[in-house]
Amino acid sequence: MEKRLFLLDGNSLINRAFYALPPLTSRRGEPTNAVYGLTTMLLRLQEDYQPDQILVAFDVSGPTFRHVQFTEYKAQRRPMPDDLRSQIPLMKELLDKMGIQRLELEGFEADDLIGTAAKQAEQAGYRVFIVTGDRDAFQLISPQTTVLFTRRGITETEVVDEDALRKHYGLSPQQIIDLKGLMGDSSDNIPGVPGVGEKTALKLLETYGSLEEVYAHLDEIKGKLQSRLREYKDQAFLSKELATIRCSAPIAIDLDRKQTMDDAAVREMFQDLDFKSLLARLPQGERQAPAVISVKTGWDLDLTRLGAGDWEEFLSELKAHQDVYLNCPEGRAELLVRTGEKNWAVPKGLLLERREELITALAAPRIYAVGSKEILHLLGPESPVDIGFDLELALYCLDPEKRWDLASIAHYFQLEAPAVEPPAPDYQAAMLQVLQRIAPLVEERLKTDDLWFVYREIELPLAKVLAEMEAHGVLVDRGKLKTISHDLQVALDQLSGLIYAEAGEEFNINSPKQLGTILFDKLGLPVLKRTKTGPSTSAEVLEELSDHPIVAHVLEYRQVAKLKSTYADALGELISPATGRLHTTFNQTVTATGRLSSTHPNLQNIPVRTEAGRRIREAFVVPDGFYLVSADYSQIELRLLAHLSRDEALCEAFRSGADIHIQTASEVFGVPKEEVTDEQRSAAKAINFGIVYGISSFGLAKGINLTRAQAQEYIDSYFLRYPGVKKFLDGAVEQGRREGYVQTLFGRRRYLPNLKSRNFALRSFAARTAMNSPIQGSAADIIKLAMLRVRRALKEEGLQSRLLLQVHDELVLEVLEGELEATARLLKREMEQVWELAVPLVVDVYYGKNWRDVQEFELKE
């Protein structure tokens, strides 16, 4: 059976994919549509043809021998778009991981490398398929070589062999070159003979067969055509030479060398690029062996499911081992345990019956967990079980944006992962063994990368605090929520009436299509942006049109509707019937900055800027005899900016206790502090917080209604007054480029590969992230340390008050009325002294009977 070689024109195909597919981006914001398109084609070729070998050829930047012959060759081509250019190295990286060889040679084009490989393969007895969107490849067609020509996009291909070429084009493969010699090729700036188009060139070749024969019979050709051919003879033969694919490029091609796909690396890359739909299509071939086997291989995925009769044997196993490995998969009613070389599955019902015995048995060994918070919930957050290692948290500290699944973990630590997928029991058993094998390696890597403090002193102990907070929950007044829901519905009805009056008819306000018809067709408002289905009615668009009364009412309607559906109606349904409380989930490994997030429900996103939003907080209450206490860091990110930059003027402003925004306004606008206007203070506030987030003149101008020139002048004045800030921000970007990451005050890392991207938008976003991440990440670390210190101090002082919520820079507690003074004092002390900075940390403490109606607590001297 003859072998099959597929030769792909990488530049042609990735270019076609880029323009054929809609814009796609990864979760990091990098464009991926071209990579997705070419990868899809590769997988389809593998599925449909089972090729013995695939080679992908790419052009190399720089002049080729054709440019030497003709300096104007391809001179008219527009530069490659940045969004496409940035995908070329990404595609090459993916090909390498897929085990697909690349052909590249300086001075030669991809066509020449394909031609060279095709001829070598023919001599070696291969059946050759060339995949391209360039008709130049038709000259390579032979009895052994066929072209798969992509006609439209990347999915529709035409099989072109010798018969098809003659039938549809009326040419032989050799005549493709003669055709180019006569008519030229505008896409490559090959001149040909002026005035000779495709129709004339085809007629000449039909009559004479080749360019040489055309000129041998030139006297038979009449009129202007003869004159043109005679005048441009040299140009015609030069054009033919430029169009000829060289099949003798000096490149060594080993057709029999088979590279194996690194399955784990490819799956990891697919996940990073959000190619979820392609994961299932990956061939299950031989995997690439790791370069270094640092841990043993071999997988025992059997699970012994415990019955009541197996309990004593299981306890004996626990007591016989110094190290025990636990996994509590989400959505599974069981605890998975590994002791030595044996895997156990403990049903939740049996565990709850024998929980005290299990807790006692787990007191002696060191506990390793895939994820500790879930296990603490199962054993009881207040249980004395001490979890010594948490794989999920450790990996999050190593790289917070990496998708750490079994395949990517195995690849990172040079393991050959078993071919299992979640949520199968085999997958969870494999995770236990990965945990057992790599825990020492992970700890060593954390120490090497100076991440040990973040992991060991912040994230690991915080999991227990969060488990306690989640289990305790927060009290919510269901009756108050119903009242708020009713009032919000009244507001919606009133707003609907106002909107209908402006529109002159009733319609579905929640329908973008119907709203668009009213706004743009009937009322004639300008269309600012279009989507596939018509004019956009997004919030951004409506904000720009909000001078129109109907648009202002629609924006308010949407805000009120969201409050009603997301909070007033939904929160009541989530109250636990067992506890009468709301139990959110704090996500410790989701954000790239180290911030906690909250889900089911999200209690960190309740609006506070509007009265309607603040009413939702009114429903968060405390039992009789308690106060709800809120402790909030004041301007922590700006204080961290002062500390990290060590800008003396900014530091002094905070040390003096001055209003930082008035101080900045005074410095930037050059007026005495007592003469700063409210407008100037607002502008200074926007600059202060904007600087933290790497704001541009465009962004600042848009935010405070300035011209771009004015905004740039404000920013320049700011940096003139605070040169240390400018030096710090520039230094953060430079460190990111040099090291590949930036760090928080405590060593937490944020990797920023796009700082070296050729795509301006991606590079700019990465630069802003480099400026902001050390500040925002340090604030996240400080609030987490504060939670640990506050919880420890509450226990040490024997107080019954307890943490309920963490919302950005705010801690919310449930405090006994008799402990109010002691707890407020404790909060101020522990939160303000959590870490020594160059400027003071300031905490404001508030108390009340609900989360909205709180007043500042004045500490007694």
Side-chain angles (χ1 to χ4, degrees), residues 664-676:
T664 299
S666 174
E667 297 280 355
V668 169
F669 298 115
V671 297
K673 285 185 281 189
E674 59 272 13
E675 295 180 17
V676 169

Side-chain angles (χ1 to χ4, degrees), residues 305-451:
R305 299 193 175 279
L306 256 65
D310 305 313
W311 187 255
E312 294 304 322
E313 179 190 354
F314 172 62
L315 287 184
S316 298
E317 277 286 311
L318 290 179
K319 294 172 183 176
H321 289 88
Q322 292 183 337
D323 300 323
V324 173
Y325 305 88
L326 306 180
N327 184 9
C328 184
E330 186 178 357
R332 298 180 66 88
E334 58 187 0
L335 174 68
L336 304 185
V337 183
R338 184 169 176 82
T339 55
E341 300 299 316
K342 193 166 185 178
N343 303 318
W344 308 81
V346 187
K348 188 175 181 180
L350 179 61
L351 185 150
L352 294 176
E353 288 177 19
R354 306 291 187 92
R355 183 158 56 185
E356 293 306 318
E357 295 175 61
L358 179 60
I359 289 172
T360 301
L362 291 175
R366 187 182 188 211
I367 307 300
Y368 295 80
V370 173
S372 59
K373 187 149 66 75
E374 292 77 10
I375 292 165
L376 289 169
H377 276 301
L378 202 55
L379 298 177
E382 304 285 351
S383 73
V385 172
D386 179 31
I387 294 178
F389 180 85
D390 185 315
L391 180 62
E392 186 178 283
L393 293 176
L395 295 175
Y396 171 70
C397 289
L398 283 181
D399 188 341
E401 292 186 274
K402 195 177 188 69
R403 295 192 176 182
W404 293 103
D405 61 3
L406 180 62
S408 62
I409 295 170
H411 173 70
Y412 190 89
F413 291 100
Q414 301 175 333
L415 279 168
E416 187 175 357
V420 291
E421 297 289 341
D426 285 358
Y427 181 91
Q428 305 303 340
M431 284 298 293
L432 275 177
Q433 290 182 65
V434 165
L435 170 64
Q436 182 181 25
R437 295 173 186 183
I438 71 171
L441 302 177
V442 179
E443 290 189 334
E444 181 180 343
R445 183 61 184 270
L446 288 167
K447 292 173 182 175
T448 301
D449 288 355
D450 294 326
L451 291 163

Side-chain angles (χ1 to χ4, degrees), residues 112-146:
D112 302 309
L113 306 182
I114 288 173
T116 301
K119 296 310 173 187
Q120 290 184 20
E122 287 179 356
Q123 292 173 8
Y126 277 82
R127 181 85 167 86
V128 179
F129 295 85
I130 298 171
V131 189
T132 182
D134 188 348
R135 287 186 172 88
D136 287 352
F138 290 172
Q139 65 187 272
L140 299 174
I141 292 172
S142 74
Q144 287 176 259
T145 296
T146 300

Side-chain angles (χ1 to χ4, degrees), residues 450-471:
D450 294 326
L451 291 163
W452 187 246
F453 182 87
V454 169
Y455 164 70
R456 189 71 193 179
E457 301 300 325
I458 300 179
E459 299 294 354
L460 187 60
L462 186 67
K464 188 172 182 65
V465 178
L466 296 176
E468 291 175 358
M469 290 165 63
E470 291 174 0

